Coordinates of all heavy atoms in Angstrom, one line a residue:
M212 N 0.8 -1.2 0.0 CA 0.0 0.0 0.0 C 0.8 1.2 0.0 O 1.6 1.6 0.9 CB -0.8 0.0 1.3 CG -2.0 -1.0 1.2 SD -3.2 -0.6 -0.1 CE -4.5 -1.8 0.3
S213 N 0.9 1.9 -1.1 CA 1.7 3.2 -1.2 C 1.0 4.4 -0.6 O 1.7 5.3 -0.2 CB 2.0 3.5 -2.6 OG 0.9 3.8 -3.4
G214 N -0.3 4.2 -0.4 CA -1.1 5.3 0.1 C -1.5 6.3 -1.0 O -2.1 7.3 -0.9
R215 N -0.9 6.1 -2.2 CA -1.3 7.0 -3.3 C -2.4 6.5 -4.3 O -2.8 7.2 -5.1 CB 0.0 7.3 -4.1 CG 1.1 7.9 -3.3 CD 2.3 8.1 -4.1 NE 2.1 9.1 -5.2 CZ 3.0 9.4 -6.1 NH1 4.1 8.8 -6.2 NH2 2.7 10.4 -7.1
T216 N -2.9 5.3 -3.9 CA -3.8 4.7 -4.7 C -5.2 5.2 -4.6 O -6.0 5.1 -5.5 CB -3.8 3.1 -4.7 OG1 -3.9 2.8 -3.3 CG2 -2.6 2.6 -5.3
R217 N -5.4 5.7 -3.4 CA -6.7 6.2 -3.1 C -6.9 7.7 -3.5 O -7.3 8.5 -2.6 CB -7.1 5.9 -1.7 CG -7.5 4.4 -1.6 CD -7.8 4.2 -0.1 NE -8.9 5.0 0.4 CZ -10.1 4.7 0.6 NH1 -10.6 3.5 0.3 NH2 -11.0 5.5 1.1
A218 N -6.6 8.1 -4.6 CA -6.7 9.5 -5.0 C -8.2 9.8 -5.0 O -9.0 9.1 -5.6 CB -6.1 9.7 -6.4
R219 N -8.5 10.9 -4.3 CA -9.8 11.3 -4.2 C -10.4 11.8 -5.6 O -9.8 12.6 -6.2 CB -10.0 12.4 -3.1 CG -10.2 11.9 -1.9 CD -10.7 13.0 -0.8 NE -10.0 12.9 0.3 CZ -9.8 14.0 1.1 NH1 -10.2 15.2 0.7 NH2 -9.3 13.8 2.3
A220 N -11.5 11.4 -5.8 CA -12.2 11.9 -7.1 C -12.9 13.1 -6.8 O -14.1 13.1 -6.9 CB -13.1 10.8 -7.6
R221 N -12.2 14.0 -6.4 CA -12.8 15.3 -6.2 C -12.7 16.2 -7.4 O -11.5 16.4 -7.9 CB -12.0 16.0 -5.0 CG -12.9 17.1 -4.3 CD -12.2 17.6 -3.0 NE -11.0 18.2 -3.4 CZ -10.6 19.4 -2.9 NH1 -11.3 20.1 -2.0 NH2 -9.4 20.0 -3.2
P222 N -13.9 16.7 -7.9 CA -13.7 17.5 -9.2 C -13.0 18.8 -8.9 O -13.2 19.5 -7.9 CB -15.2 17.7 -9.5 CG -16.0 17.5 -8.2 CD -15.2 16.6 -7.4
E223 N -12.1 19.0 -9.8 CA -11.2 20.3 -9.7 C -11.5 21.1 -10.9 O -11.7 20.6 -11.9 CB -9.8 20.0 -9.6 CG -9.4 19.4 -8.2 CD -7.9 19.6 -8.1 OE1 -7.1 19.5 -9.0 OE2 -7.4 19.7 -6.9
R224 N -11.4 22.4 -10.7 CA -11.6 23.3 -11.8 C -10.4 24.3 -11.7 O -9.9 24.6 -10.5 CB -12.9 24.1 -11.7 CG -14.1 23.3 -11.9 CD -14.2 22.8 -13.4 NE -15.4 21.9 -13.6 CZ -15.4 20.6 -13.4 NH1 -14.4 19.9 -13.0 NH2 -16.6 20.0 -13.7
T225 N -10.2 25.0 -12.7 CA -9.1 26.1 -12.7 C -9.9 27.4 -12.7 O -10.7 27.7 -13.4 CB -8.3 26.0 -14.0 OG1 -7.8 24.7 -14.2 CG2 -7.2 27.1 -14.1
C226 N -9.4 28.2 -11.7 CA -9.9 29.6 -11.6 C -9.5 30.4 -12.7 O -8.3 30.4 -13.1 CB -9.3 30.1 -10.2 SG -9.6 31.9 -10.0
V227 N -10.5 31.1 -13.3 CA -10.1 31.9 -14.6 C -9.4 33.2 -14.2 O -8.8 33.8 -15.0 CB -11.3 32.2 -15.4 CG1 -11.9 31.1 -16.0 CG2 -12.3 33.0 -14.6
G228 N -9.3 33.4 -12.9 CA -8.6 34.7 -12.5 C -7.0 34.3 -12.3 O -6.2 34.7 -13.0
C229 N -6.8 33.5 -11.2 CA -5.4 33.2 -10.8 C -4.8 31.9 -11.5 O -3.6 31.7 -11.4 CB -5.2 33.2 -9.4 SG -6.0 31.8 -8.6
R230 N -5.7 31.3 -12.2 CA -5.3 30.0 -13.0 C -4.9 28.9 -12.0 O -4.3 28.0 -12.5 CB -4.2 30.4 -13.9 CG -4.5 31.4 -14.8 CD -5.7 31.3 -15.6 NE -5.7 30.1 -16.5 CZ -5.3 30.2 -17.8 NH1 -4.8 31.3 -18.3 NH2 -5.2 29.1 -18.4
E231 N -5.2 29.0 -10.8 CA -4.8 27.9 -9.8 C -6.1 26.9 -9.8 O -7.2 27.4 -9.9 CB -4.6 28.4 -8.4 CG -3.2 29.0 -8.3 CD -2.9 29.4 -6.9 OE1 -3.4 29.0 -6.0 OE2 -2.1 30.4 -6.8
R232 N -5.7 25.7 -9.6 CA -6.7 24.7 -9.5 C -7.3 24.6 -8.1 O -6.5 24.6 -7.2 CB -6.2 23.3 -10.0 CG -6.1 23.3 -11.5 CD -5.4 22.0 -12.0 NE -6.5 20.9 -11.9 CZ -7.3 20.8 -12.9 NH1 -7.4 21.6 -13.9 NH2 -8.3 19.8 -12.8
S233 N -8.6 24.5 -8.0 CA -9.2 24.3 -6.7 C -10.3 23.3 -6.8 O -10.8 23.0 -7.8 CB -9.7 25.6 -6.2 OG -8.6 26.4 -5.7
G234 N -10.7 22.8 -5.7 CA -12.0 22.0 -5.6 C -13.1 22.8 -6.0 O -13.1 24.0 -5.8
K235 N -14.0 22.2 -6.7 CA -15.2 22.8 -7.3 C -15.9 23.6 -6.2 O -16.4 24.7 -6.5 CB -16.1 21.8 -7.9 CG -16.8 22.2 -9.2 CD -17.5 21.0 -9.7 CE -18.7 21.5 -10.6 NZ -19.5 20.3 -11.0
G236 N -15.9 22.9 -5.0 CA -16.7 23.7 -4.0 C -16.1 25.0 -3.5 O -16.7 25.8 -2.8
D237 N -14.8 25.1 -3.8 CA -14.1 26.3 -3.3 C -14.3 27.5 -4.4 O -13.8 28.6 -4.1 CB -12.6 26.1 -3.1 CG -12.4 25.1 -2.0 OD1 -13.4 25.0 -1.1 OD2 -11.4 24.4 -1.9
L238 N -14.8 27.2 -5.5 CA -14.9 28.1 -6.6 C -16.3 28.5 -6.9 O -17.3 27.8 -6.7 CB -14.3 27.5 -7.9 CG -12.8 27.2 -7.8 CD1 -12.4 26.4 -9.0 CD2 -12.0 28.4 -7.8
L239 N -16.4 29.7 -7.3 CA -17.7 30.2 -7.7 C -18.0 30.0 -9.2 O -17.1 30.3 -10.0 CB -17.8 31.8 -7.3 CG -19.0 32.5 -7.8 CD1 -20.3 32.0 -7.0 CD2 -18.9 34.1 -7.6
R240 N -19.1 29.4 -9.5 CA -19.4 29.2 -10.9 C -20.0 30.5 -11.4 O -20.8 31.2 -10.8 CB -20.5 28.0 -11.0 CG -20.8 27.8 -12.4 CD -21.5 26.4 -12.6 NE -21.7 26.0 -13.9 CZ -22.8 26.2 -14.6 NH1 -23.8 26.7 -14.0 NH2 -22.9 25.8 -15.9
V241 N -19.6 30.8 -12.6 CA -20.2 32.0 -13.3 C -20.6 31.6 -14.7 O -20.1 30.8 -15.4 CB -19.0 33.1 -13.6 CG1 -19.4 34.3 -14.2 CG2 -18.3 33.5 -12.2
V242 N -21.8 32.0 -14.9 CA -22.4 31.9 -16.3 C -22.7 33.0 -17.0 O -22.7 34.1 -16.5 CB -23.7 30.9 -16.2 CG1 -23.5 29.7 -15.5 CG2 -24.8 31.8 -15.3
L243 N -22.8 33.0 -18.3 CA -23.0 34.1 -19.2 C -24.5 34.2 -19.5 O -25.1 33.2 -20.0 CB -22.2 34.0 -20.5 CG -22.1 35.2 -21.4 CD1 -21.5 36.3 -20.7 CD2 -21.5 34.8 -22.7
I244 N -25.1 35.3 -19.2 CA -26.5 35.5 -19.6 C -26.5 36.8 -20.4 O -26.2 37.9 -19.9 CB -27.4 35.7 -18.3 CG1 -27.3 34.3 -17.5 CG2 -28.8 36.0 -18.8 CD1 -28.2 34.5 -16.3
E245 N -26.7 36.6 -21.7 CA -26.5 37.6 -22.7 C -25.1 38.1 -22.7 O -24.2 37.4 -22.9 CB -27.6 38.7 -22.6 CG -29.0 38.1 -23.0 CD -30.1 39.0 -22.6 OE1 -29.9 40.2 -22.1 OE2 -31.3 38.7 -22.8
D246 N -24.9 39.4 -22.1 CA -23.5 39.8 -22.1 C -23.1 40.1 -20.7 O -22.1 40.8 -20.4 CB -23.2 41.1 -23.0 CG -24.0 42.2 -22.5 OD1 -24.9 42.1 -21.7 OD2 -23.7 43.4 -23.0
R247 N -23.9 39.4 -19.8 CA -23.5 39.6 -18.3 C -23.0 38.4 -17.7 O -23.5 37.2 -17.9 CB -24.8 40.0 -17.6 CG -25.3 41.4 -17.9 CD -26.8 41.6 -17.5 NE -27.2 40.7 -16.5 CZ -28.2 40.0 -16.5 NH1 -29.1 40.0 -17.6 NH2 -28.7 39.3 -15.4
C248 N -21.9 38.6 -16.9 CA -21.3 37.5 -16.1 C -22.1 37.4 -14.8 O -22.1 38.4 -14.1 CB -19.9 37.8 -15.9 SG -18.8 37.7 -17.3
V249 N -22.8 36.3 -14.6 CA -23.7 36.2 -13.4 C -23.1 35.2 -12.6 O -22.9 34.0 -13.0 CB -25.1 35.9 -13.9 CG1 -26.0 35.7 -12.7 CG2 -25.7 36.9 -14.9
P250 N -23.0 35.5 -11.3 CA -22.6 34.4 -10.3 C -23.7 33.4 -10.1 O -24.9 33.7 -9.9 CB -22.3 35.2 -9.0 CG -23.2 36.4 -9.2 CD -23.4 36.8 -10.6
D251 N -23.4 32.1 -10.2 CA -24.2 31.1 -10.0 C -24.0 30.4 -8.6 O -23.3 29.4 -8.6 CB -24.1 30.1 -11.2 CG -25.0 28.9 -11.1 OD1 -25.9 29.0 -10.4 OD2 -24.8 28.0 -11.9
H252 N -24.5 31.0 -7.6 CA -24.2 30.5 -6.3 C -24.7 29.1 -6.0 O -24.1 28.4 -5.2 CB -24.8 31.4 -5.3 CG -24.3 32.8 -5.3 ND1 -23.0 33.0 -4.8 CD2 -24.7 34.0 -5.7 CE1 -22.7 34.4 -5.0 NE2 -23.8 35.1 -5.5
R253 N -25.7 28.7 -6.6 CA -26.3 27.4 -6.4 C -25.9 26.4 -7.4 O -26.0 25.2 -7.2 CB -27.8 27.4 -6.4 CG -28.4 28.2 -5.3 CD -29.9 28.2 -5.5 NE -30.6 28.7 -4.3 CZ -31.9 28.6 -4.1 NH1 -32.6 28.2 -5.2 NH2 -32.5 29.1 -3.1
G254 N -25.1 26.7 -8.4 CA -24.7 25.9 -9.4 C -25.7 25.3 -10.3 O -25.6 24.2 -10.7
T255 N -26.8 26.0 -10.4 CA -27.9 25.5 -11.1 C -28.3 26.1 -12.4 O -29.1 25.7 -13.2 CB -29.2 25.6 -10.2 OG1 -29.4 27.0 -9.8 CG2 -29.1 24.7 -9.0
L256 N -27.6 27.3 -12.7 CA -27.9 27.9 -14.0 C -27.4 27.2 -15.1 O -26.4 26.6 -15.1 CB -27.4 29.4 -13.9 CG -27.9 30.3 -12.9 CD1 -27.2 31.6 -12.9 CD2 -29.4 30.6 -13.1
P257 N -28.2 27.2 -16.3 CA -27.7 26.4 -17.4 C -26.6 27.1 -18.2 O -26.4 28.4 -18.1 CB -29.0 26.3 -18.3 CG -29.8 27.5 -17.9 CD -29.5 27.8 -16.5
G258 N -26.0 26.5 -19.0 CA -25.0 27.0 -20.0 C -23.6 26.8 -19.5 O -23.4 26.1 -18.5
R259 N -22.7 27.2 -20.4 CA -21.3 27.1 -20.1 C -20.9 27.9 -18.9 O -21.3 29.0 -18.6 CB -20.6 27.6 -21.3 CG -19.1 27.5 -21.1 CD -18.4 28.3 -22.3 NE -18.5 27.4 -23.5 CZ -17.6 26.5 -23.8 NH1 -16.6 26.3 -23.1 NH2 -17.7 25.8 -25.0
G260 N -20.1 27.2 -18.0 CA -19.7 27.9 -16.8 C -18.3 28.2 -16.7 O -17.5 27.4 -17.3
A261 N -17.9 29.2 -16.0 CA -16.5 29.5 -15.7 C -16.4 29.5 -14.3 O -17.4 29.7 -13.5 CB -16.1 30.9 -16.3
Y262 N -15.2 29.0 -13.8 CA -15.0 29.0 -12.3 C -14.0 30.0 -11.8 O -13.0 30.2 -12.5 CB -14.7 27.5 -11.9 CG -15.7 26.6 -12.1 CD1 -16.1 25.9 -13.4 CD2 -16.6 26.3 -11.0 CE1 -17.1 25.1 -13.6 CE2 -17.7 25.4 -11.2 CZ -17.9 24.8 -12.5 OH -19.0 24.0 -12.7
L263 N -14.2 30.5 -10.6 CA -13.5 31.6 -10.1 C -13.5 31.5 -8.6 O -14.4 31.2 -8.0 CB -14.1 32.8 -10.6 CG -13.5 34.2 -10.3 CD1 -12.5 34.4 -11.2 CD2 -14.6 35.3 -10.5
H264 N -12.3 31.9 -8.1 CA -12.3 32.1 -6.6 C -13.2 33.3 -6.2 O -13.1 34.3 -6.9 CB -10.9 32.3 -6.0 CG -10.0 31.1 -6.1 ND1 -8.9 31.1 -6.9 CD2 -10.0 29.9 -5.4 CE1 -8.3 29.9 -6.7 NE2 -9.0 29.2 -5.9
P265 N -14.0 33.1 -5.2 CA -15.0 34.2 -5.0 C -14.2 35.3 -4.2 O -14.6 35.6 -3.0 CB -16.1 33.6 -4.1 CG -15.5 32.4 -3.5 CD -14.3 32.0 -4.5
T266 N -13.2 35.9 -4.8 CA -12.5 37.0 -4.1 C -12.3 38.1 -5.2 O -12.3 37.9 -6.4 CB -11.0 36.6 -3.8 OG1 -10.3 36.2 -5.0 CG2 -11.1 35.3 -2.8
P267 N -12.3 39.3 -4.6 CA -12.1 40.5 -5.5 C -10.9 40.4 -6.4 O -10.9 40.8 -7.5 CB -12.0 41.7 -4.6 CG -12.6 41.2 -3.3 CD -12.3 39.8 -3.2
T268 N -9.9 39.8 -5.7 CA -8.6 39.6 -6.6 C -8.7 38.9 -7.8 O -8.3 39.3 -8.9 CB -7.5 39.0 -5.7 OG1 -7.5 39.7 -4.5 CG2 -6.1 39.1 -6.3
C269 N -9.4 37.7 -7.6 CA -9.5 36.8 -8.7 C -10.5 37.4 -9.8 O -10.3 37.2 -11.0 CB -9.9 35.4 -8.3 SG -8.5 34.6 -7.5
V270 N -11.5 38.0 -9.3 CA -12.5 38.7 -10.2 C -11.7 39.8 -11.0 O -11.8 39.8 -12.3 CB -13.7 39.3 -9.5 CG1 -14.5 40.1 -10.4 CG2 -14.5 38.3 -8.9
D271 N -11.0 40.5 -10.3 CA -10.1 41.6 -11.0 C -9.2 41.0 -12.1 O -9.2 41.6 -13.2 CB -9.5 42.4 -10.0 CG -9.0 43.7 -10.5 OD1 -9.9 44.4 -11.0 OD2 -7.9 44.1 -10.1
L272 N -8.5 40.0 -11.7 CA -7.7 39.4 -12.6 C -8.3 38.9 -13.9 O -7.8 39.0 -14.9 CB -6.9 38.2 -11.9 CG -5.7 38.5 -11.0 CD1 -5.2 37.3 -10.3 CD2 -4.5 39.0 -12.0
A273 N -9.4 38.2 -13.6 CA -10.2 37.6 -14.7 C -10.7 38.7 -15.7 O -10.6 38.5 -16.9 CB -11.4 36.8 -14.2
V274 N -11.1 39.8 -15.1 CA -11.6 40.9 -16.0 C -10.4 41.4 -16.7 O -10.6 41.7 -18.0 CB -12.2 42.0 -15.0 CG1 -12.6 43.2 -15.9 CG2 -13.5 41.4 -14.4
R275 N -9.3 41.7 -16.0 CA -8.1 42.4 -16.8 C -7.6 41.4 -17.9 O -7.1 41.9 -18.9 CB -7.1 42.6 -15.8 CG -7.4 43.8 -15.1 CD -6.1 44.3 -14.4 NE -6.3 44.7 -13.0 CZ -5.3 44.9 -12.2 NH1 -4.1 44.7 -12.6 NH2 -5.5 45.2 -10.9
R276 N -7.6 40.1 -17.6 CA -7.1 39.2 -18.7 C -8.1 38.8 -19.7 O -7.9 38.0 -20.5 CB -6.7 37.8 -17.9 CG -5.4 38.0 -17.1 CD -5.3 36.8 -16.3 NE -4.0 36.7 -15.8 CZ -3.5 35.8 -15.0 NH1 -4.4 34.8 -14.6 NH2 -2.3 35.7 -14.5
R277 N -9.3 39.4 -19.6 CA -10.4 39.0 -20.5 C -10.6 37.5 -20.5 O -11.0 36.8 -21.4 CB -10.2 39.4 -21.9 CG -9.9 41.0 -22.0 CD -9.3 41.2 -23.5 NE -8.9 42.6 -23.6 CZ -9.6 43.4 -24.2 NH1 -10.7 43.2 -24.7 NH2 -9.2 44.8 -24.2
A278 N -10.5 37.0 -19.3 CA -10.6 35.5 -19.2 C -12.1 35.1 -19.4 O -12.3 33.9 -19.9 CB -10.2 35.1 -17.7
F279 N -13.0 35.9 -19.1 CA -14.4 35.5 -19.4 C -14.7 35.5 -20.7 O -15.4 34.5 -21.2 CB -15.4 36.5 -18.6 CG -15.3 36.3 -17.1 CD1 -14.9 37.4 -16.3 CD2 -15.7 35.2 -16.5 CE1 -14.9 37.4 -15.0 CE2 -15.6 35.1 -15.1 CZ -15.2 36.2 -14.3
Q280 N -14.2 36.4 -21.6 CA -14.4 36.4 -23.0 C -13.9 35.1 -23.6 O -14.5 34.4 -24.3 CB -13.7 37.6 -23.7 CG -14.5 38.8 -23.6 CD -14.1 39.7 -22.5 OE1 -13.8 39.3 -21.4 NE2 -14.0 41.0 -22.8
R281 N -12.7 34.7 -23.1 CA -12.1 33.4 -23.5 C -12.9 32.2 -23.0 O -13.2 31.3 -23.8 CB -10.7 33.4 -23.0 CG -9.7 33.0 -24.0 CD -8.3 33.0 -23.5 NE -7.9 34.4 -23.1 CZ -7.0 34.7 -22.2 NH1 -6.3 33.7 -21.6 NH2 -6.7 35.9 -21.8
A282 N -13.3 32.2 -21.8 CA -13.9 31.1 -21.3 C -15.3 30.8 -21.9 O -15.8 29.8 -22.2 CB -14.2 31.3 -19.8
F283 N -16.0 32.0 -22.3 CA -17.2 31.9 -22.9 C -17.2 32.0 -24.3 O -18.3 32.0 -25.1 CB -18.2 33.0 -22.4 CG -18.5 32.9 -20.9 CD1 -18.2 33.8 -20.0 CD2 -19.1 31.7 -20.3 CE1 -18.5 33.7 -18.6 CE2 -19.3 31.6 -19.0 CZ -19.0 32.6 -18.1
R284 N -16.0 32.2 -24.9 CA -15.9 32.2 -26.3 C -16.7 33.3 -27.0 O -17.4 33.1 -28.0 CB -16.1 30.9 -27.0 CG -15.2 29.8 -26.4 CD -15.4 28.5 -27.0 NE -14.7 27.5 -26.3 CZ -14.4 26.3 -26.8 NH1 -14.7 26.0 -28.0 NH2 -13.8 25.5 -26.0
V285 N -16.6 34.5 -26.4 CA -17.4 35.6 -27.0 C -16.3 36.7 -27.3 O -15.3 36.8 -26.5 CB -18.5 36.1 -26.2 CG1 -19.7 35.1 -26.1 CG2 -18.0 36.4 -24.7
P286 N -16.5 37.5 -28.3 CA -15.5 38.5 -28.5 C -15.7 39.8 -27.7 O -14.7 40.5 -27.5 CB -15.7 38.8 -30.0 CG -17.2 38.5 -30.3 CD -17.5 37.5 -29.3
G287 N -16.8 40.2 -27.4 CA -17.2 41.5 -26.9 C -16.9 41.7 -25.5 O -16.6 40.7 -24.7
P288 N -17.0 42.9 -25.1 CA -16.8 43.1 -23.6 C -18.0 42.7 -22.8 O -19.2 42.7 -23.3 CB -16.7 44.7 -23.5 CG -17.5 45.2 -24.7 CD -17.3 44.1 -25.8
L289 N -17.7 42.2 -21.6 CA -18.8 41.7 -20.8 C -19.1 42.5 -19.5 O -18.1 43.1 -19.1 CB -18.5 40.3 -20.4 CG -18.3 39.3 -21.6 CD1 -17.7 37.9 -21.0 CD2 -19.6 39.0 -22.2
D290 N -20.3 42.4 -19.1 CA -20.6 43.2 -17.9 C -20.4 42.3 -16.7 O -21.0 41.3 -16.5 CB -22.1 43.5 -18.0 CG -22.6 44.3 -16.8 OD1 -21.9 44.5 -15.9 OD2 -23.8 44.8 -16.9
T291 N -19.5 42.8 -15.9 CA -19.2 42.0 -14.7 C -19.5 42.7 -13.4 O -19.1 42.2 -12.3 CB -17.6 41.7 -14.6 OG1 -16.9 43.0 -14.7 CG2 -17.1 40.9 -15.8
A292 N -20.5 43.6 -13.5 CA -20.8 44.4 -12.3 C -21.4 43.5 -11.3 O -21.2 43.6 -10.1 CB -21.8 45.5 -12.7
E293 N -22.3 42.5 -11.8 CA -23.0 41.7 -10.7 C -22.1 40.8 -10.1 O -22.2 40.5 -8.9 CB -24.0 40.8 -11.5 CG -25.4 41.4 -11.8 CD -26.3 40.5 -12.5 OE1 -26.7 39.5 -11.9 OE2 -26.6 40.8 -13.6
L294 N -21.1 40.3 -10.9 CA -20.0 39.5 -10.2 C -19.3 40.2 -9.2 O -18.9 39.7 -8.1 CB -19.1 39.0 -11.4 CG -18.3 37.8 -11.1 CD1 -19.2 36.6 -10.7 CD2 -17.4 37.4 -12.4
Q295 N -18.9 41.4 -9.5 CA -18.0 42.2 -8.6 C -18.8 42.5 -7.3 O -18.2 42.6 -6.2 CB -17.6 43.5 -9.3 CG -16.3 43.2 -10.2 CD -15.9 44.1 -11.2 OE1 -16.8 44.7 -11.7 NE2 -14.7 44.3 -11.5
Q296 N -20.2 42.6 -7.4 CA -20.9 42.9 -6.3 C -21.1 41.6 -5.4 O -21.3 41.6 -4.2 CB -22.3 43.4 -6.6 CG -22.3 45.0 -7.0 CD -23.5 45.3 -7.6 OE1 -24.5 44.7 -7.6 NE2 -23.5 46.6 -8.2
A297 N -20.9 40.5 -6.1 CA -21.2 39.3 -5.4 C -20.1 38.7 -4.5 O -20.3 38.0 -3.5 CB -21.5 38.2 -6.5
V298 N -19.0 39.2 -4.8 CA -17.7 38.7 -4.0 C -17.5 39.7 -2.9 O -17.7 40.9 -3.0 CB -16.4 38.6 -4.9 CG1 -16.6 37.5 -5.9 CG2 -16.2 40.0 -5.4
P299 N -17.2 39.2 -1.8 CA -16.9 40.1 -0.6 C -15.7 41.0 -0.8 O -14.7 40.6 -1.3 CB -16.7 39.1 0.6 CG -16.3 37.8 -0.1 CD -16.9 37.9 -1.4
R300 N -15.9 42.3 -0.4 CA -15.0 43.3 -0.6 C -13.9 43.1 0.5 O -14.1 42.7 1.5 CB -15.4 44.7 -0.5 CG -16.4 45.1 -1.4 CD -15.6 45.7 -2.6 NE -16.5 45.7 -3.8 CZ -17.2 46.8 -4.0 NH1 -17.4 47.7 -3.2 NH2 -18.0 46.8 -5.1
A301 N -12.6 43.2 -0.1 CA -11.5 43.1 0.9 C -11.3 44.4 1.6 O -10.6 45.3 1.2 CB -10.2 42.7 0.1
T302 N -12.1 44.7 2.6 CA -12.0 46.0 3.3 C -10.9 45.8 4.4 O -10.8 45.0 5.1 CB -13.3 46.2 4.0 OG1 -13.9 45.1 4.6 CG2 -14.4 46.8 3.0
P303 N -10.0 46.8 4.3 CA -8.9 46.8 5.2 C -9.3 47.1 6.7 O -10.4 47.7 6.9 CB -8.0 48.0 4.7 CG -8.8 48.7 3.8 CD -10.1 48.0 3.4
Ligands
ZN550 ZN1 -8.3 32.4 -8.2

């Protein structure tokens, strides 16, 4: 028994902000509704999803890198206001 055989089948996703892999439960699913990036807190909205750490830093990174355009395969600018409101602010 090496101890490595029982790898947990825990689904992992890559954060579109910082590009680090995390368990699905640690990431916020984001779906595209028209041209709006909408947080899918319950994971029930249909459509292609992007995954993101629910932090202002990762939202910011994703927006700057146009990661949502890439994830959703759309060319235009996207409205991320709802998403930015959904993540807790890092208040000092
Ligand atoms: Zn991240």
